[in-house]
Amino acid sequence: MRPLPPVPPANEAVSAVIAQDERRGEALRRGDAAALAAVLSDDLRYIHSNGRLETKAEYVGALADKSLRFERFVTTDVNGSRITPDVVVLRGRIDQLKFVDGQPGAAKLFFTSIWRCESGAWRMVGMQTAIIPAGH
């Protein structure tokens, strides 16, 4: 049995996950379904601010078939915590303008995402968003 590689320090893991989350944002802005799929776990469950639950296939599929398109997707105030050696939780804000089936929707959101290290790569396994109340 081969020994496991050393576990990177918490701040290194959080930095790696934040970089992956930035790749996710870039993929959304470009409409690049393949790049988005690469940073998402096959186990993804995404709970949107309206309560809608999506799987990876649904989320990536909407971007691929252009029924979902982002004109603006900006994350700010992103911070994270390493929960276990292979799990990191991110928190932050999203400012987005998206089109779903051609209908625009602008939103300012809080988000919490869960990332798991799968075969040496950090992938988002869970996401939940909430609308930011006015004045926050």
Side-chain angles (χ1 to χ4, degrees):
M1 181 183 290
R2 283 191 329 211
L4 293 174
V7 175
N11 60 344
E12 187 177 315
V14 170
S15 294
V17 170
I18 289 171
Q20 281 290 80
D21 193 58
E22 289 169 359
R23 287 181 193 93
R24 180 180 68 90
E26 290 169 12
L28 291 172
R29 287 187 294 276
R30 288 191 323 263
D32 186 339
L36 179 62
V39 298
L40 301 179
S41 171
D42 290 343
D43 296 331
L44 175 73
R45 295 298 179 266
Y46 188 148
I47 303 171
H48 293 270
S49 61
N50 64 3
R52 183 166 181 245
L53 173 65
E54 276 188 314
T55 64
K56 176 181 180 176
E58 292 166 330
Y59 189 42
V60 172
L63 199 64
D65 72 13
K66 308 296 184 206
S67 61
L68 173 63
R69 182 176 62 81
F70 285 86
E71 192 168 294
R72 180 179 69 245
F73 187 90
V74 178
T75 57
T76 56
D77 301 328
V78 178
N79 62 80
S81 303
R82 189 167 193 177
I83 306 303
T84 68
D86 63 344
V87 175
V88 168
V89 173
L90 292 186
R91 295 164 298 280
R93 296 172 179 246
I94 298 169
D95 178 7
Q96 69 181 22
L97 173 57
K98 68 180 180 179
F99 292 81
V100 178
D101 295 324
Q103 299 299 311
K108 294 186 185 307
L109 306 164
F110 289 123
F111 78 88
T112 300
S113 60
I114 303 162
W115 295 75
R116 179 174 61 199
C117 190
E118 298 176 350
S119 301
W122 288 100
R123 292 193 176 86
M124 190 169 75
V125 70
M127 174 74 144
Q128 186 162 4
T129 58
I131 295 172
I132 297 175
H136 288 87

